[in-house]
Amino acid sequence: MQRSLTFVLAFLAAGLLITVRSDAPPASTFVLDGGDGTNLTFALNIPSNSDELYFHMSGPAGNDWMAVGAGKEMKDSLMFIVYTAADGRNITVSPRIASGHSEPTHTTDVTVVLLPGSGLINNTYIVNAKCHGCRKWEGGFLDLKSKTQSMIYAVGPGDYLQSDLLDAGIRRHEDFGQFTMDMVQATGDEGVPTNTTSTSGAASVGSARIDRDYGNAFHALAMTGAFVILFPLGVLLLRLFEKVILHWLNQAFAVFVVVVGAGMGIYISLMYNKSKSFNSAHQIIGIIVVMLVFAQMTLGFLHHRIYKKTQRTTPMIKVHRFAGPVVILIGIVNGALGFNFAGENRLIIAYFVVVIIVGLLMSGAIVLKNRHQRRKNVYSTPAAQNFQEAYVSQQYGSDIPLRNAGDPPAYAPPPGMGRPMV
């Protein structure tokens, strides 16, 4: 009797398990092993009786965003980008379309509705969602008959983004890669996928690639280096050594650095939505400063060329001397605006500390040079020369100025000393 009861219970449990499994919506699932116990998971369900999509996404919240997109590359890809909400406890899912290898733009043609179970749980992004308008979008579509639909994924850097805005700015990805999904396997009854622990109906294409955003650092280093160090150094070289060639070579190199740094700034601006239109204070002032730098270089060159021919100064040198420090000061201030524009306000204090230190060192060098020059000038005045002559006359009992005394007499031994030894 006990064996029969055990058999019946086992049969009922197996039947219940089969029923539960048969009720699970069909799905294709991609799981990327993060290698440290964290996975990036994307599971897709395609209802056969509607135009909607259901999907599950999860990944570590240590990155400020994660994303999955449909397509072989970023251009024309529909992406679901997930980041922490403003309250720090929930999540924001932003549907976006990329126009190229730049920050994707939020699209209002696609709507993502978060379903129960979504949120920021145990430092993990968890998304259970239903999507309207996700099968076809401007520039692309899902091939529902494909067993190898191209997909992409990416995660952002470690900075902590918190926003409820669907168009919040995101930084360049840190890791990215490709995979494929079986659309046929994912098609059937509707529902959020529940098989999210292992890959099924999907395959990775290659390995994850590491990407680093060195452009911002290069732009900041080039521009701050030019205006905080190189341009002031050119002024210092002219004051200390009074060599125009040293001044010219240094400033020419500084202009080259500015051109390269500005070019990188333009390239970076085209990558992000907030800077594509070039209407921020930092960008506008930056363009003006670059133009002023070229004007300064032209004035200095023309003045020097005319001076070599005529040995006379020109009005251009007055403008050049006045505008130089002004342009440098504007460039330094714009550097601080640049850190603010990039969201790196914590660097502004350190930046001005460096500016003050460099300014004090260069000012000290000029003060020492001027002090040395004043002493040299004092000893070369007629009064100083007369004093020296009077001192020599008093010491040696002669009224003949030292500068007119001529050569000293030849040496002759005293009487009785004989010839000097050789």
Side-chain angles (χ1 to χ4, degrees):
M1 181 69 179
Q2 186 175 1
R3 287 185 178 180
S4 299
L5 180 60
T6 301
F7 177 78
V8 170
L9 291 175
F11 179 80
L12 291 175
L16 179 62
L17 180 61
I18 293 174
T19 302
V20 170
R21 288 182 176 175
S22 64
D23 289 343
S28 291
T29 304
F30 171 73
V31 179
L32 176 69
D33 185 1
D36 55 356
T38 59
N39 297 330
L40 174 65
T41 302
F42 181 75
L44 180 66
N45 165 260
I46 304 173
S48 56
N49 58 353
S50 72
D51 293 331
E52 299 171 339
L53 295 178
Y54 289 84
F55 66 89
H56 166 88
M57 284 180 67
S58 61
N63 302 89
D64 70 350
W65 59 267
M66 68 173 184
V68 170
K72 290 184 178 181
E73 58 182 2
M74 287 185 65
K75 181 175 173 56
D76 296 328
S77 173
L78 173 62
M79 302 179 182
F80 303 117
I81 300 180
V82 184
Y83 41 89
T84 306
D87 60 10
R89 297 187 300 273
N90 294 296
I91 58 174
T92 301
V93 181
S94 173
R96 306 190 184 196
I97 297 176
S99 59
H101 291 283
S102 59
E103 183 183 5
T105 303
H106 171 245
T107 175
T108 57
D109 296 332
V110 176
T111 303
V112 175
V113 179
L114 292 178
L115 301 176
S118 301
L120 184 59
I121 303 172
N122 296 327
N123 201 35
T124 301
Y125 297 123
I126 296 180
V127 181
N128 295 317
K130 177 170 64 174
C131 183
H132 305 277
C134 295
R135 299 192 181 195
K136 185 177 181 181
W137 59 91
E138 183 179 357
F141 63 94
L142 284 177
D143 185 356
L144 302 183
K145 297 181 179 180
S146 175
K147 293 190 175 185
T148 56
Q149 169 68 44
S150 296
M151 306 288 289
I152 57 176
Y153 65 87
V155 294
D159 299 330
Y160 200 57
L161 170 65
Q162 291 187 202
S163 178
D164 294 333
L165 300 176
L166 296 177
D167 59 351
I170 61 173
R171 293 182 180 270
R172 183 168 169 167
H173 46 53
E174 190 171 80
D175 298 277
F176 66 98
Q178 297 174 304
F179 64 100
T180 61
M181 298 198 82
D182 187 343
M183 298 292 100
V184 177
Q185 176 177 312
T187 302
D189 295 337
E190 66 179 29
V192 176
T194 56
N195 175 24
T196 60
T197 59
S198 60
T199 296
S200 175
S204 180
V205 179
S207 57
R209 282 168 284 181
I210 298 175
D211 183 40
R212 293 292 183 270
D213 184 9
Y214 297 112
N216 281 315
F218 181 86
H219 171 69
L221 182 63
M223 301 304 279
T224 57
F227 286 97
V228 176
I229 298 177
L230 291 178
F231 283 130
L233 179 61
V235 177
L236 185 64
L237 291 174
L238 185 61
R239 294 286 187 90
L240 295 183
F241 302 103
E242 300 179 356
K243 298 289 186 181
V244 176
I245 185 63
L246 294 179
H247 174 75
W248 184 85
L249 289 174
N250 183 87
Q251 303 306 72
F253 176 69
V255 171
F256 170 76
V257 173
V258 166
V259 171
V260 176
M264 180 58 69
I266 293 173
Y267 171 75
I268 296 170
S269 295
L270 295 174
M271 293 180 59
Y272 294 97
N273 294 328
K274 73 174 184 178
S275 55
K276 287 179 179 178
S277 48
F278 292 88
N279 58 2
S280 70
H282 173 68
Q283 292 169 300
I284 294 172
I285 295 175
I287 293 173
I288 294 174
V289 167
V290 171
M291 295 172 63
L292 290 175
V293 165
F294 277 100
Q296 267 292 93
M297 183 179 67
T298 303
L299 284 174
F301 174 77
L302 292 177
H303 163 76
H304 186 65
R305 186 174 182 181
I306 295 173
Y307 179 80
K308 289 185 67 176
K309 291 181 179 180
T310 64
Q311 295 299 307
R312 294 181 179 178
T313 59
T314 67
M316 289 183 290
I317 193 60
K318 295 182 180 180
V319 178
H320 184 74
R321 288 174 177 172
F322 172 78
V326 174
V327 174
I328 292 174
L329 180 60
I330 296 175
I332 290 174
V333 172
N334 197 44
L337 294 177
F339 286 120
N340 175 261
F341 185 59
E344 299 288 355
N345 291 326
R346 65 183 185 276
L347 297 178
I348 295 178
I349 295 178
Y351 170 67
F352 276 117
V353 169
V354 173
V355 170
I356 293 172
I357 292 174
V358 172
L360 291 175
L361 290 175
M362 294 191 175
S363 299
I366 293 175
V367 169
L368 292 177
K369 168 65 177 179
N370 292 340
R371 182 180 298 176
H372 175 75
Q373 187 64 42
R374 284 195 299 267
R375 289 180 178 177
K376 184 178 178 181
N377 292 339
V378 167
Y379 286 115
S380 62
T381 61
Q385 292 181 355
N386 290 335
F387 175 80
Q388 293 173 356
E389 292 169 359
Y391 175 79
V392 171
S393 178
Q394 181 181 3
Q395 292 293 321
Y396 296 97
S398 173
D399 294 333
I400 302 175
L402 183 61
R403 60 189 174 191
N404 297 324
D407 297 330
Y411 173 78
M417 292 288 296
R419 298 183 61 184
M421 299 180 62
V422 178

